[in-house]
Structures are given as C-alpha cells and as structure tokens.
Amino acid sequence: MFLWRQYAASPLFQDKIALRTEQGEFFTWRQLAEKTEDYAAALQQQGVAQGEGIALCGKNSTDILLLYLAGIQCGARVLGVNPAFPTEKIARLCAENHIRFYFSSELKTLPNVTALSLPSADSNVVFIPIEDDWQRPATMTLTSGSSGLPKAVVHNVQAHSDNAQGVCRLMQFSAQDAWLLSLPLYHVSGQGIVWRWLSVGAELHLPTTDFYASLLQATHASLVPVQLQRLLDYLHQCAPNTFRTRHILLGGMHIPVALTQALAQFGIQSYCGYGMTEMASTVFAKQSNGSAGVGQPLPQREFKLVNGEIWLRGAGAALGYWKNNRIVPIMNDEQWFATKDRGEWRDDELVVLGRADNMFISGGENIQPEEIERVILACENVEQVFILPKEDEEYGQRPVAMIKFKDNFSESAVKNLTIWLNDKLEKFKQPVQYFPLNSENRQGNIKISRVQLKAELLDLLGK
C-alpha cells in the first residue's frame, strides 16, 4: 500500500494534518487519500491506464501534487515538465517519452497529446483499484544533458522512499514537523521533499503568496543560495518574533560560508550535500561548516573514486533512462553509476570538484569553472556567477564570468571584484571579461543551463 493510503488507514495518522495548501486550507491524511483517489478516478475515466505516460506541466500547486500522487496510484509514468519550456519543446519531450496525456493550467493545446481535466465537484466516478506496486516505473524526471533534449530518468516508489529516509534521519525530520514545498516538483529536489514528507507522515506546506512567511511556518525547507540570501534579508527586515524553521537543506551550487553562518545566528541549522537526478536526490550530506566538502554518504549509499570520477550506487538509484520506449539501465558493466563529476576524498569527506565536461584548458593549465565560482561567491557583493571559456588565439581558451552582483552590475563593481580576487586566485584563473547574468527570466530553474549560457556568451562576444 502506498504511504498516503497507509496513513489514511492508520488510527494514529488518519486525522492528523497532512497538507497545507497554497490557499491555507488543511487536509488530514484521510482527506488527502480521498482527494487523491478522486483525482485517480478522473484520470482513469479519461483513459489513463497502467503503464501510460502523463506529463504535468505547471508550477507547484495542490492540483499538480494531487495529480502526481494520483498518477502513481493509477500505475502511470508521471513526467514533470517545466512550464517555462516552449510549447514545441514540450511536444517533443512528450513524443520522445511516449506521453499520451498532459495536464497544464496554461497550455491550451499540445500536438498529439490529450489534455487532462480535473475532477468536478459533483463527480461520482469510482476509482478502479490496481495493485500498489512499489517496484514498477512511477516517475520520469528530466535531467539536462550536454546537448539536445533532456533525458528522462525513471524511478520507482521504492527508490524515492529509500533516498528520503537517510535525509530524514540526518535532518531530524519526524511526523511532528513540516517541510515547505519550496522547489518545483518537476525537479528531483522538489520530489525529494514530497517523499521525505511521505516517509515520516509529517506535514507538507505549499507556499502562500508570501513565500518567506510561509517558509518560517515550516520546520524544514530546501533552498538554493539565492533563496537563502533572500530569507536572510527577510529575517533582518521583518524581524519576526517567532518562527518554526530549524533545519534548511541547501543545494544547487556552491554555498558561501558567510550565508550559513548568518543563518546559524537565527538558530537555524543548515545542511549542504551532493546529489543528482539519477539517485533520486541527495547522496552525501552534512551539517554546514567551513570546509568545502559535502560530508559522507548517507545510509545505504556507496561511492568510489575511479580516476578522479565519482561513481555511485545504492539507495535511490534509478531504474534507468527512458529511450525508444524502454528503460535503459544507468549502471555500467561494473554495476556502478559513473556520474561524470570529478571529486577527491579530503579530510574524511568527499569534495566535489566539478563536472568533467565543464573543464577547459587555458595555456596548458586545466581550468575547473566550479573552483573559480566557489572563490568568487565568497565575495560579499556576489549573488551568482558562472565561469565559461572564451576562445583565445594565444592561450586556447580564457575564463569569462557571467555574474550577478547584489548591487547593480557596474564597472566599479567589476573593478572592486578584480582587486579582491588578486590574492585569491592564480592569474590564469582570473576572468578576463565580465558580463551581467540575468537570472530573473530563469525562475523555476534550480540549475541554470551552461549550454544556454555559452550560447548567450557567443552572442555577447559577437560570434
């Protein structure tokens, strides 16, 4: 039996609050299970059968969450899609992944895909039960490749549940707590929140219109560094007398130590880690400290370094990639997942150096962009930065920065940063040019695409 149905049947949980919606409405576990079954019945009535693919294209909402659970209960493959994608790309993704149905509150039509409607209030359609199978393909999560369409990573319920348990133990997340659904469900980090909630029978909160006020009503949250900076600004400006938040999991990119130290002053413990879509989210994690590492593997995860590349297996491992209407295993011949991430074991923890395919060579020297980004992010006026290669006749390639300052982008901000970097980076690693990074039009993306940034850089350079 799936977890939401187990809690609905349990005298200890059935009348306990399970969900707070974006409108502030509360559902108990019994009400949530009943609502999910209504949505599952509506899906079945519209032709969604076991093994079918459905795409959920939208920002987090109660409807998207209920459709996610209902799709799994129907035995469908549920694919989350970023609503910011162009319609043509969404159509191609549906065709590539054999998706016949989709739900979107924004897209009116999608070629060759049937639009799904929500159950009506007076509907009396009854759900036709099927086996709650924890092993069958349940979710498809897009992960960006170096080029072309994103690949869909297929997980079953067992993998999501296994991944969640180690994070819950590390972050002391229990049935008495509440986690804010602060990251999109079409991303593996958003799904990780849902499965942690389900694993312990806690509360899940959807943000109301005031995101940071909502955050402070939850005991736990997952944030990327930009969100963390804005939370700190909110705490300083609004100075709330009381708030519930005690644990925050950070991810998405390098986490400046200054931010985690500032958070600790409010009595909030932060955690940093390392994970990926293929492993259903977090693999390594630790309480944040001054070191560059991501801690040790969580329970039931294994790793090894092979020629500097991180290999993984264990809890959360995907069934495979969806390709040509079948699942292609992610594991290599040695039954490990080769991540293409570079790392080293240092001071009894893993230090992630960066993507092997991001590295470039400048004047015979290896440049790892993530190393430079980590240093630049320590500057107090920097909010986001990405290092990219620029072709150079003499050196082959040189590093260029696309950067967002906390203040406006200006010549003086760039000059102050270059002075600050003089004694912190070798000369060949210091950016030779700076361009403004406009991240506002990328909302909903936890990770900004370096492929897209490289294309933008070529435009800026007039190439």
Side-chain angles (χ1 to χ4, degrees), residues 169-368:
R169 284 196 288 272
L170 175 71
M171 295 183 63
Q172 304 163 52
F173 185 55
S174 70
Q176 286 68 51
D177 295 318
W179 204 305
L180 184 74
L181 189 56
S182 49
L183 300 173
L185 257 179
Y186 54 76
H187 193 279
V188 73
S189 297
Q191 292 179 65
I193 296 171
V194 168
W195 292 99
R196 291 167 209 146
W197 160 59
L198 292 171
S199 289
V200 300
E203 290 181 26
L204 183 71
H205 290 184
L206 272 73
T208 62
T209 51
D210 190 334
F211 179 87
Y212 293 99
S214 298
L215 193 156
L216 294 176
Q217 293 179 44
T219 58
H220 291 66
S222 303
L223 300 178
V224 294
V226 172
Q227 291 174 315
L228 175 57
Q229 179 62 64
R230 291 172 183 169
L231 171 62
L232 289 167
D233 293 341
Y234 185 94
L235 287 167
H236 284 296
Q237 291 166 10
C238 300
N241 292 326
T242 59
F243 55 86
R244 294 183 67 195
T245 313
R246 290 294 174 263
H247 303 273
I248 293 180
L249 179 63
L250 300 171
M253 58 189 296
H254 312 302
I255 316 298
V257 174
L259 290 184
T260 59
Q261 290 175 338
L263 193 64
Q265 293 175 7
F266 289 96
I268 302 174
Q269 176 63 58
S270 62
Y271 303 77
C272 62
Y274 166 69
M276 54 184 42
T277 305
E278 287 85 351
M279 297 296 292
S281 192
T282 311
V283 181
F284 286 72
K286 68 171 187 178
Q287 291 191 9
S288 301
N289 55 25
S291 74
V294 294
Q296 300 193 2
L298 293 172
Q300 300 180 56
R301 284 85 158 163
E302 294 181 73
F303 87 104
K304 67 177 179 177
L305 295 172
V306 180
N307 298 321
E309 182 183 15
I310 302 168
W311 287 17
L312 302 171
R313 68 183 179 190
L319 296 173
Y321 299 111
W322 188 268
K323 189 173 182 180
N324 298 327
N325 207 19
R326 67 187 186 92
I327 298 172
V328 179
I330 65 169
M331 298 300 182
N332 60 22
D333 291 342
E334 298 177 48
Q335 296 306 301
W336 288 85
F337 173 57
T339 66
K340 298 183 181 178
D341 285 333
R342 297 177 60 247
E344 62 182 36
W345 192 253
R346 188 192 309 164
D347 298 327
D348 204 30
E349 64 176 344
L350 178 67
V351 176
V352 181
L353 302 177
R355 294 289 295 174
D357 46 12
N358 288 341
M359 191 176 73
F360 59 94
I361 298 174
S362 180
E365 298 282 357
N366 289 342
I367 300 281
Q368 190 70 51

Side-chain angles (χ1 to χ4, degrees), residues 23 32 111 237 354 429 436:
Q23 286 81 33
L32 177 76
Q237 291 166 10
K429 293 180 182 177

Side-chain angles (χ1 to χ4, degrees), residues 384-405:
Q384 279 183 295
V385 64
F386 290 87
I387 299 298
L388 302 168
K390 165 192 169 182
E391 299 302 320
D392 184 271
E393 288 187 8
E394 182 179 0
Y395 291 91
Q397 293 179 309
R398 298 299 302 277
V400 171
M402 296 188 75
I403 191 165
K404 183 177 182 182
F405 292 105

